[in-house]
Amino acid sequence: MKTISIPKNTTFLSLALNNTLPKNCIFDKGKVGAGGTTIALTNSESYIVCVPYLSLIENKISQSKTDSIYPYEILAVTGDTPMKLIKEYMATHPVKKVMVTYNSLKKLRKYASQCSLLIDEYHLLFSQYIFRNEAVVDVLNLYKEFKSFTFMTATVLEDEFVLEELKGVEKVVAEWQDVLEVTVKPVQSLNGVTASAINTIKRFLNGEIDGNAYIFVNSLEFIKTLISGANLDASNTRLIYSKSNKVRLSIPNGKPEDQAKKINLITSTAFEGCDILDEDGRTIIVSDSSKQHTLVDISTSLHQIAGRIRNSKYASEIWHLFSSTRYSNDLTYEEYSEVVKENIKVSHRRIDTYNAIIPEDRAVISVDSDSEYFVKKDNLFHFDPNRVKFDLYNFKITNHIYKTKVNLVTAYRANGLNCPTVYMDRSQVVIDTPEVGFNFEEVVNSVKVVWDDIYNLNKQSILSAAFTRYPFLQEAI
């Protein structure tokens, strides 16, 4: 692993890296909003920037039309872009700047030797491996054909979840001397996340909470409930979700660069990569245990969301509304890993069995790719280790991290987030009544901090919570 030290008082990577990205590596740029994509779109090298969502392309191209730091015309390539337009652009632009979605990278294969490739938000290649498998596999099969490649993200996956195709690729890490400490305020909703979110919205609308609410939740169904439950409309609410989604709600689908509203509801299409500007923006993340796709990964998605509002005066604080998951089994992550090892043996046995069948019979056998560790290709079955990793990754998020608040707080702290306490929402309103600790030692330490501090406004609530948890404690003191 190679490290690059970023000096103090440095705002963007371009100053520290001389406007050049490291090549042929996985590049951990260290923080969200560091300007890594901007380097590829503004320096004098020909670059193809491969991104997960069309909204990221629209966001960057919109910026380039109003910001003088972008000296070159940027071509957007999607599934609808005709090859004739691509050919004309490539022939007439000495310095090529192309943005393309994961799905359409193969359209640019002809020009691979002329351009360097930046795969932006590369961690999404893993988290979207199953439901966008064809697009992800295309990227993994093509990246070595380019003049150079860089897989870039601010939220690198744990080593156990690195895709097999990227094993052995050098890792380069930007170490920033100035790092903004972010405090996460988790709120455990005991009466349902929906009620907590609706009441939080109402507190913004009636002026009880300053600023504009940016609610990040990956569920249009959940957003629809918020709109009706809080009586939201286009006058006070902006909505941003995937343009490819055919669902239409009572509030129009907008863009990250649109005028901010008091309430801003955002799905995963803008979780990563998009720049949102709003000095008064407050970040609120919603994880509903009844909807697995809303359970954000602390190491990747939560970090990405935390840095999405670039210029917010509230950038050092995020709220996370969540409810704990409930499962019929109580397997730990380590125990489930042992189960997976047995499932791998079963997969290999089935592969051998299927591949031994005559081709005519094998051709009609189907595979449930979401529940098996192998895929069908060229009428043969092949073991796919990335599906094993994805299975473990999903279990870790849904069955482990969100299972208890202790696990969740541990995940926050392990990923560099300050989390002094967990707030409990018992009455369907987010009330700032702190939980004082997760075991006896932490409770005692909380009490020690405020016991002789007569100016501490939280003193009474902390002492009350501590003595309720351990009734003998006051007498013991």
Side-chain angles (χ1 to χ4, degrees):
M1 184 177 74
K2 177 183 177 182
T3 60
I4 301 173
S5 180
I6 310 298
K8 288 186 177 181
N9 302 318
T10 301
T11 306
F12 297 110
L13 284 168
S14 56
L15 299 174
L17 302 182
N18 196 26
N19 215 33
T20 303
L21 290 172
K23 293 181 172 60
N24 300 325
C25 65
I26 295 172
F27 180 39
D28 176 0
K29 61 181 180 179
K31 70 175 184 179
V32 176
T37 310
T38 303
I39 291 176
L41 294 175
T42 60
N43 67 14
S44 58
E45 301 176 61
S46 290
Y47 255 103
I48 292 172
V49 179
C50 188
V51 298
Y53 303 117
L54 177 60
S55 58
L56 272 65
I57 297 178
E58 294 174 340
N59 186 238
K60 288 298 180 185
I61 289 181
S62 176
Q63 289 179 24
S64 72
K65 291 178 178 177
T66 59
D67 195 330
S68 60
I69 69 168
Y70 293 88
Y72 307 105
E73 178 188 1
I74 301 172
L75 174 67
V77 175
T78 67
D80 298 327
T81 306
M83 292 303 298
K84 180 181 178 182
L85 179 61
I86 297 173
K87 184 177 180 180
E88 288 176 354
Y89 175 91
M90 290 297 189
T92 57
H93 291 71
V95 177
K96 304 162 192 3
K97 301 293 182 182
V98 182
M99 294 195 72
V100 60
T101 55
Y102 290 169
N103 305 61
S104 299
L105 182 62
K106 56 190 173 186
K107 282 188 170 186
L108 300 168
R109 187 174 193 171
K110 179 180 177 181
Y111 308 99
S113 62
Q114 304 175 33
C115 303
S116 292
L117 176 66
L118 171 63
I119 302 96
D120 205 5
E121 310 302 348
Y122 109 87
H123 59 280
L124 291 179
L125 291 176
F126 178 81
S127 61
Q128 299 181 357
Y129 185 82
I130 297 297
F131 75 91
R132 291 180 69 182
N133 184 256
E134 184 178 349
V136 171
V137 170
D138 279 346
V139 174
L140 296 174
N141 286 339
L142 290 173
Y143 78 89
K144 290 183 180 179
E145 296 183 21
F146 287 81
K147 187 176 179 181
S148 70
F149 63 85
T150 305
F151 288 87
M152 185 174 72
T153 181
T155 48
V156 172
L157 291 158
E158 298 167 76
D159 288 344
E160 67 176 310
F161 300 129
V162 172
L163 292 162
E164 286 294 304
E165 291 82 355
L166 300 183
K167 277 189 171 181
V169 174
E170 182 184 29
K171 185 177 178 181
V172 177
V173 179
E175 293 186 344
W176 295 77
Q177 304 305 306
D178 291 333
V179 179
L180 175 68
E181 183 178 63
V182 176
T183 296
V184 59
K185 292 187 173 181
V187 179
Q188 184 173 7
S189 303
L190 302 183
N191 292 301
V193 178
T194 303
S196 295
I198 289 173
N199 282 281
T200 300
I201 288 171
K202 290 179 177 178
R203 293 175 70 194
F204 275 92
L205 292 176
N206 66 24
E208 185 180 342
I209 303 176
D210 293 333
N212 299 326
Y214 281 77
I215 298 177
F216 294 84
V217 56
N218 191 34
S219 170
L220 276 183
E221 179 187 354
F222 190 93
I223 286 175
K224 185 178 181 179
T225 303
L226 297 185
I227 292 173
S228 60
N231 297 316
L232 300 176
D233 56 43
S235 68
N236 56 23
T237 301
R238 174 173 56 154
L239 176 59
I240 302 172
Y241 63 97
S242 173
K243 295 292 188 297
S244 62
N245 196 312
K246 304 304 180 185
V247 174
R248 293 295 175 262
L249 302 180
S250 58
I251 298 172
N253 190 6
K255 301 187 294 293
E257 55 269 22
D258 288 345
Q259 181 67 37
K261 300 287 181 68
K262 177 56 72 172
I263 308 298
N264 303 268
L265 306 174
I266 302 170
T267 70
S268 62
T269 190
F271 279 15
E272 281 106 345
C274 285
D275 295 333
I276 298 174
L277 300 177
D278 184 357
E279 292 183 359
D280 296 316
R282 287 183 178 270
T283 297
I284 302 164
I285 300 169
V286 176
S287 297
D288 183 354
S289 64
S290 67
K291 297 178 175 62
Q292 180 176 329
H293 50 286
T294 70
L295 302 181
V296 298
D297 179 20
I298 306 304
S299 65
T300 56
S301 296
L302 189 138
H303 265 288
Q304 289 281 342
I305 296 169
R308 199 50 44 216
I309 309 173
R310 301 300 196 207
N311 61 337
S312 171
K313 60 188 177 187
Y314 304 108
S316 62
E317 175 186 284
I318 60 175
W319 298 352
H320 187 189
L321 308 185
F322 75 97
S323 57
S324 297
T325 53
R326 294 289 183 267
Y327 290 90
S328 58
N329 68 71
D330 292 316
L331 292 179
T332 65
Y333 181 68
E334 291 72 22
E335 289 169 338
Y336 188 71
S337 297
E338 293 303 314
V339 172
V340 166
K341 288 179 182 177
E342 291 303 313
N343 290 342
I344 290 173
K345 294 178 182 177
V346 171
S347 289
H348 280 296
R349 188 185 72 233
R350 289 177 177 171
I351 290 171
D352 293 341
T353 301
Y354 291 152
N355 289 347
I357 299 172
I358 62 173
E360 292 88 341
D361 292 342
R362 193 167 56 235
V364 299
I365 298 176
S366 62
V367 175
D368 180 358
S369 60
D370 289 335
S371 62
E372 301 285 2
Y373 298 153
F374 51 89
V375 293
K376 190 175 182 180
K377 183 180 179 182
D378 300 327
N379 204 21
L380 288 172
F381 293 89
H382 305 270
F383 181 71
D384 186 350
N386 290 330
R387 290 176 181 267
V388 178
K389 297 174 192 238
F390 189 79
D391 186 20
L392 287 167
Y393 175 81
N394 268 344
F395 181 91
K396 191 169 190 177
I397 295 172
T398 59
N399 294 52
H400 176 70
I401 291 177
Y402 283 90
K403 192 166 188 177
T404 68
K405 63 188 177 186
V406 176
N407 290 353
L408 191 61
V409 170
T410 300
Y412 292 140
R413 294 172 178 172
N415 287 281
L417 294 162
N418 181 34
C419 180
T421 189
V422 173
Y423 298 91
M424 308 300 289
D425 180 6
R426 295 184 176 87
S427 58
Q428 298 187 353
V429 178
V430 178
I431 301 174
D432 292 341
T433 302
E435 285 291 294
V436 291
F438 305 104
N439 54 45
F440 183 68
E441 180 181 6
E442 290 192 14
V443 171
V444 170
N445 286 334
S446 297
V447 171
K448 285 170 63 178
V449 169
V450 301
W451 184 256
D452 294 318
D453 186 358
I454 62 174
Y455 298 105
N456 194 317
L457 299 179
N458 288 327
K459 176 177 180 179
Q460 294 306 316
S461 63
I462 289 175
L463 295 181
S464 177
F467 298 151
T468 298
R469 178 87 68 83
Y470 300 108
F472 62 84
L473 183 58
Q474 185 171 14
E475 183 180 353
I477 294 174

